[in-house]
């Protein structure tokens, strides 16, 4: 059984709803899943999981949330080489530049992106939640 972490930051609840759907998808495929707020996750925990889904909305000028998520993610980057990961998040403006930049960053770290990242505008609709479940399943 694979161990999957779903690590997220959410200001409005949109990314949290996406995270819950990711958890559901991974559990439905038989994975042991832990849902964690980014404040409860650290680089020391990366090696305890077979795969990690990271979720963060676009903030400011299409960047990751800067006070909690970005410092946590930066600290984890050195351990992502070869790690199976997936990315998801919501946005309210822009065109998804934050996600493309984040994907490039993960590839530069040597991480193995398990599937296409999931983005949704504002609250996730049924299609976005279905994509999040599929993302979770791809990590299981």
């Amino acid at each position: 059984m694979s161990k999957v972490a779903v690590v997220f930051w959410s200001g409005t609840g949109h990314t949290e709803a996406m995270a819950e759907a990711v958890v559901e998808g991974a559990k439905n495929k038989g994975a042991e899943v832990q849902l964690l707020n980014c404040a409860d996750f650290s680089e020391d925990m990366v090696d305890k999981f077979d795969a990690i889904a990271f979720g963060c909305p676009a903030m400011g000028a299409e960047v990751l949330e800067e006070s909690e998520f970005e410092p946590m993610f930066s600290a984890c980057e050195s351990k992502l080489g070869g790690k199976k990961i997936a990315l998801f998040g919501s946005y309210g403006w822009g065109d998804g530049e934050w996600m493309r930049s984040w994907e490039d960053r993960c590839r530069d770290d040597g991480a193995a992106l398990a599937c296409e990242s999931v983005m949704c505008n504002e609250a996730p609709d049924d299609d976005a939640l279905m994509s999040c479940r599929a993302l979770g399943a791809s990590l299981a």
Side-chain angles (χ1 to χ4, degrees), residues 76-112:
C76 293
E77 281 187 276
S78 66
K79 295 195 163 209
L80 295 182
K83 181 66 70 174
K84 186 176 179 182
I85 68 166
L87 308 175
F88 64 94
S90 62
Y91 65 97
W93 60 90
D95 69 352
E97 177 64 31
W98 108 100
M99 186 62 74
R100 291 189 298 277
S101 297
W102 194 11
E103 289 169 341
D104 289 344
R105 189 172 161 186
C106 291
R107 284 186 199 98
D108 290 346
D109 293 334

Side-chain angles (χ1 to χ4, degrees), residues 9-106:
W9 184 92
S10 187
T12 61
H14 300 327
T15 301
E16 184 173 9
M18 295 174 79
E20 290 167 354
V22 172
V23 167
E24 185 182 334
K27 281 186 175 179
N28 287 345
K29 284 289 188 177
E32 179 184 322
V33 187
Q34 228 179 321
L35 179 64
L36 298 156
N37 185 288
C38 68
D40 300 320
F41 191 79
S42 69
E43 69 271 16
D44 303 347
M45 301 169 76
V46 171
D47 293 334
K48 296 178 182 175
F49 295 95
D50 300 307
I52 304 170
F54 288 104
C56 185
M59 302 295 287
E62 285 207 73
V63 296
L64 298 174
E65 191 280 327
E66 296 172 296
S67 64
E68 292 180 55
F69 193 89
E70 175 63 44
M72 176 279 305
F73 189 77
S74 289
C76 293
E77 281 187 276
S78 66
K79 295 195 163 209
L80 295 182
K83 181 66 70 174
K84 186 176 179 182
I85 68 166
L87 308 175
F88 64 94
S90 62
Y91 65 97
W93 60 90
D95 69 352
E97 177 64 31
W98 108 100
M99 186 62 74
R100 291 189 298 277
S101 297
W102 194 11
E103 289 169 341
D104 289 344
R105 189 172 161 186
C106 291

